[in-house]
Amino acid sequence: MHGWIILDKPLGLGSTQGVAAVKRVLRQAGHGKVKVGHGGTLDPLATGVLPIAVGEATKLAGRMLDSDKVYAFTIRFGEQTDTLDAEGPVIATSPVRPARDALAAVLPRFTGPIAQVPPIYSALKVDGERAYDLARAGEAVELKSRDVVIHALTIEAAAADGPLDEATLVAHVSKGTYIRSLARDIALALDTVGHVTMLRRTKAGPFDLSGAITLDKLNEMGQARALEQILLPLRAGLDDIPALALSPDQAGALRQGRVLVGVHADDGAAFAMLDSAPVALVDVIAGEVRVVRGFNL
């Protein structure tokens, strides 16, 4: 079992609980001990695409963390919570409700490279401690601004006329972007306050909701011992890079950690394969091929 299972994570489930669910189903289906990891944390109050790496795919989980994501999210205007979502208590209110035209007008300010301050209720570390642990303990938490990229930001649903109590947006973002912070800052730019009431990840790297399954479906396939039917291949996590065909001798050399020279291939990352068998994720520079992650298959 080597590849990807894409969960449509339900509300209330943490990412680590999603990993645990896949591990449990794999054991029940007779696959014994298999390495399992996730390719991008989703808060318990968020739903949607959670890539679960199985077996050798866990070597690519870090690359998945660095990939772009797409989220749909709803901002409720007029109330800000300490967690910036529906979980925390209200800490600020405003009578101002923006019009749709005003909302549309500020979105370009949040498109492209921007700086944002992460929520204090986040997993970022401050002096070795998780920010959310410090916040829950009542300590003052100061997080530095960080640079992220918002590739696209559009309105998905909002009333055409009158003041908006809420609006749903879609954001295509770089790694490290906090949607809760984005919602907070959009509301502030509209001279009000706001927080996220719905957050759904619709895409993570190459994976979207079209290939995602529910926990019920996962359990059903596990009981039928048919998990192979929902397991996407290792290559699915690397569909944005070219394949590099190897000869048996070249594959053997890479598996030994040696550098290939004189290879005719474009510079950059590549997925080295012997016939249909994955060998390694490699880096090609000036005709030299070096292993970045080797696969034991």
Side-chain angles (χ1 to χ4, degrees):
M1 294 290 286
H2 303 284
W4 300 90
I5 292 175
I6 313 304
L7 286 185
D8 184 351
K9 190 189 81 64
L11 197 66
L13 187 80
S15 297
T16 54
Q17 291 172 297
V19 169
V22 171
K23 284 183 176 179
R24 182 180 65 253
V25 170
L26 285 169
R27 288 195 303 269
Q28 292 172 345
H31 293 288
K33 291 185 177 180
V34 180
K35 287 184 180 180
V36 181
H38 66 75
T41 300
L42 267 184
D43 292 339
L45 291 184
T47 67
V49 175
L50 179 63
I52 303 292
V54 178
E56 289 295 283
T58 55
K59 294 178 179 178
L60 301 174
R63 195 172 190 276
M64 192 60 57
L65 294 174
D66 291 340
S67 64
D68 289 351
K69 313 290 191 303
V70 178
Y71 296 91
F73 63 103
T74 299
I75 309 174
R76 178 166 295 160
F77 297 108
E79 293 181 339
Q80 181 174 315
T81 65
D82 64 351
T83 57
L84 302 180
D85 58 23
E87 186 176 29
V90 174
I91 59 171
T93 61
S94 169
V96 176
R97 300 293 185 275
R100 182 186 178 115
D101 288 349
L103 173 60
V106 303
L107 295 189
R109 292 164 53 181
F110 297 94
T111 304
I114 67 169
Q116 65 171 203
V117 177
I120 60 172
Y121 283 88
S122 65
L124 296 176
K125 287 191 175 182
V126 180
D127 297 329
E129 299 289 336
R130 296 289 185 188
Y132 55 66
D133 287 332
L134 295 173
R136 286 168 184 158
E139 297 187 31
V141 179
E142 290 188 13
L143 296 175
K144 295 181 180 179
S145 174
R146 57 197 295 170
D147 295 329
V148 298
V149 179
I150 312 298
H151 300 290
L153 183 60
T154 58
I155 300 174
E156 182 177 76
D161 300 313
L164 298 175
D165 288 322
E166 63 179 34
T168 299
L169 310 180
V170 174
H172 174 193
V173 303
S174 70
K175 71 169 185 176
T177 302
Y178 282 90
I179 299 299
R180 287 175 292 155
S181 292
L182 181 61
R184 173 200 62 204
D185 296 342
I186 289 172
L188 290 173
L190 291 164
D191 296 321
T192 184
V193 292
H195 67 279
V196 171
T197 58
M198 184 280 292
L199 178 60
R200 182 161 176 77
R201 186 156 68 193
T202 60
K203 190 172 184 182
F207 303 121
D208 60 26
L209 286 169
S210 66
I213 63 167
T214 64
L215 282 180
D216 287 343
K217 183 66 173 179
L218 173 69
N219 290 324
E220 176 188 323
M221 299 302 283
Q223 290 170 6
R225 293 182 177 255
L227 289 175
E228 290 83 359
Q229 295 180 24
I230 59 172
L231 185 73
L232 300 179
L234 203 69
R235 178 79 173 95
L238 298 169
D239 74 342
D240 59 333
I241 67 171
L244 176 64
L246 302 174
S247 68
D249 287 345
Q250 289 174 322
L254 286 183
R255 285 173 175 145
Q256 294 171 8
R258 291 154 54 192
V259 177
L260 303 183
V261 297
V263 175
H264 297 290
D266 293 336
D267 285 0
F271 189 52
M273 303 183 70
L274 176 61
D275 297 325
S276 60
V279 174
L281 175 64
V282 299
D283 200 17
V284 183
I285 302 176
E288 293 189 351
V289 179
R290 299 175 184 273
V291 173
V292 177
R293 289 285 186 274
F295 304 119
N296 297 318
L297 299 173

